[in-house]
């Protein structure tokens, strides 16, 4: 098995929207009920250079964020994780918001529990760690157009949180040293090169040496 960790690396690669509001420059995300209780917020996180060969088996996958606000803000949060159902998705913009992206069929709930969510801590180390979203990642990697090195978007959609309750991870703009990240453990198909070089994702049994 191979472990890959990728992080959001640009301002427009994490964004949220709800109603008529859109932001890819706010210091933190809004995962749960939108500010003011108007609607469920949609959040998107785009990860570049996801070097998972086509045909791989996803053993586990975890999104993680560095918590900005803790305490009671995250007591009654209900959300769903998806991926964008796209081979190599583009970055976010006012006309290409997270809420408008095509979602995978696979989804995984992330609801808060009685555990604490202290400030300036990755959610994985709190009482409400993010869930395993391997089924969402697997659906993308199984697409016919997927190739090692493509971009991949993780979506988080509010799912009936109580009014004004959200998870508040820092965005890339808010803390570029602790941006949202994605860790995937996968098993490549037999005979496939795994690494960071030009041969990544190629089948060794189909290479022909010329000399």
């Amino acid at each position: 098995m191979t472990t890959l960790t990728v992080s959001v690396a640009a301002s427009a690669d994490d964004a949220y929207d709800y109603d008529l509001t859109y932001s890819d420059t706010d210091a933190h995300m809004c995962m749960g009920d939108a500010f003011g209780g108007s609607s469920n917020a949609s959040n998107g996180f785009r990860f570049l250079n996801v070097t998972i060969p086509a045909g791989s088996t996803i053993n586990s996958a975890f999104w993680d964020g560095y918590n900005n606000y803790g305490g009671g803000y995250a007591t009654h949060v209900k959300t769903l994780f998806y991926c964008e159902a796209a081979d190599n998705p583009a970055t976010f913009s006012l006309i290409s918001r997270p809420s408008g992206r095509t979602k995978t069929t696979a989804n995984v709930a992330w609801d808060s529990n009685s555990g604490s969510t202290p400030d300036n801590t990755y959610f994985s180390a709190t009482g409400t760690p993010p869930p395993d979203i391997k089924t969402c990642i697997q659906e993308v990697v199984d697409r016919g157009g997927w190739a090692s090195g493509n971009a991949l978007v993780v979506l988080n959609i509010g799912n009936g949180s109580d009014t004004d309750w959200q998870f508040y991870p820092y965005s890339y703009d808010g803390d570029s040293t602790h941006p949202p990240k994605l860790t995937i453990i996968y098993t490549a198909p037999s005979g496939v090169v795994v690494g960071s070089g030009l041969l990544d994702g190629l089948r060794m049994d189909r290479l022909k040496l010329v000399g």
Side-chain angles (χ1 to χ4, degrees):
M1 291 187 289
T2 302
T3 299
L4 172 70
T5 299
V6 286
S7 299
V8 171
S11 175
D13 279 348
D14 55 10
Y16 68 82
D17 71 275
Y18 60 90
D19 299 334
L20 299 178
T21 298
Y22 167 82
S23 179
D24 56 26
T25 59
D26 204 341
H28 55 76
M29 308 301 289
C30 175
M31 302 172 73
D33 188 72
F35 301 105
S38 57
S39 65
N40 292 312
S42 298
N43 293 253
F45 308 89
R46 181 174 179 253
F47 300 98
L48 301 177
N49 197 30
V50 179
T51 53
I52 298 177
S56 294
T57 297
I58 307 303
N59 304 107
S60 65
F62 292 90
W63 174 94
D64 206 358
Y66 200 64
N67 193 26
N68 185 5
Y69 294 162
Y73 282 104
T75 305
H76 304 284
V77 182
K78 295 181 180 180
T79 71
L80 291 170
F81 275 110
Y82 298 83
C83 283
E84 182 177 353
D87 299 332
N88 192 22
T91 193
F92 301 106
S93 68
L94 184 61
I95 61 173
S96 186
R97 305 178 178 207
S99 61
R101 301 297 177 100
T102 301
K103 299 187 293 291
T104 53
T105 300
N107 63 84
V108 182
W110 184 28
D111 300 343
S112 61
N113 55 35
S114 58
S116 62
T117 53
D119 296 354
N120 300 318
T121 304
Y122 276 106
F123 281 106
S124 57
T126 72
T128 306
D132 189 344
I133 59 170
K134 65 181 180 182
T135 55
C136 305
I137 305 295
Q138 188 72 68
E139 186 173 332
V140 174
V141 172
D142 286 346
R143 292 175 59 88
W146 173 261
S148 178
N150 281 7
L152 185 147
V153 163
V154 173
L155 299 168
N156 181 271
I157 312 298
N159 188 40
S161 304
D162 287 356
T163 300
D164 276 346
W165 298 99
Q166 307 103 358
F167 294 125
Y168 281 110
Y170 281 103
S171 67
Y172 176 84
D173 290 282
D175 188 348
S176 61
T177 63
H178 296 96
K181 62 183 179 179
L182 178 65
T183 299
I184 303 171
I185 299 176
Y186 67 94
T187 301
S190 177
V192 170
V193 178
V194 176
S196 58
L198 294 176
L199 295 181
D200 183 44
L202 295 180
R203 291 189 56 124
M204 289 298 292
D205 59 359
R206 296 181 181 176
L207 291 179
K208 180 179 180 180
L209 298 179
V210 178

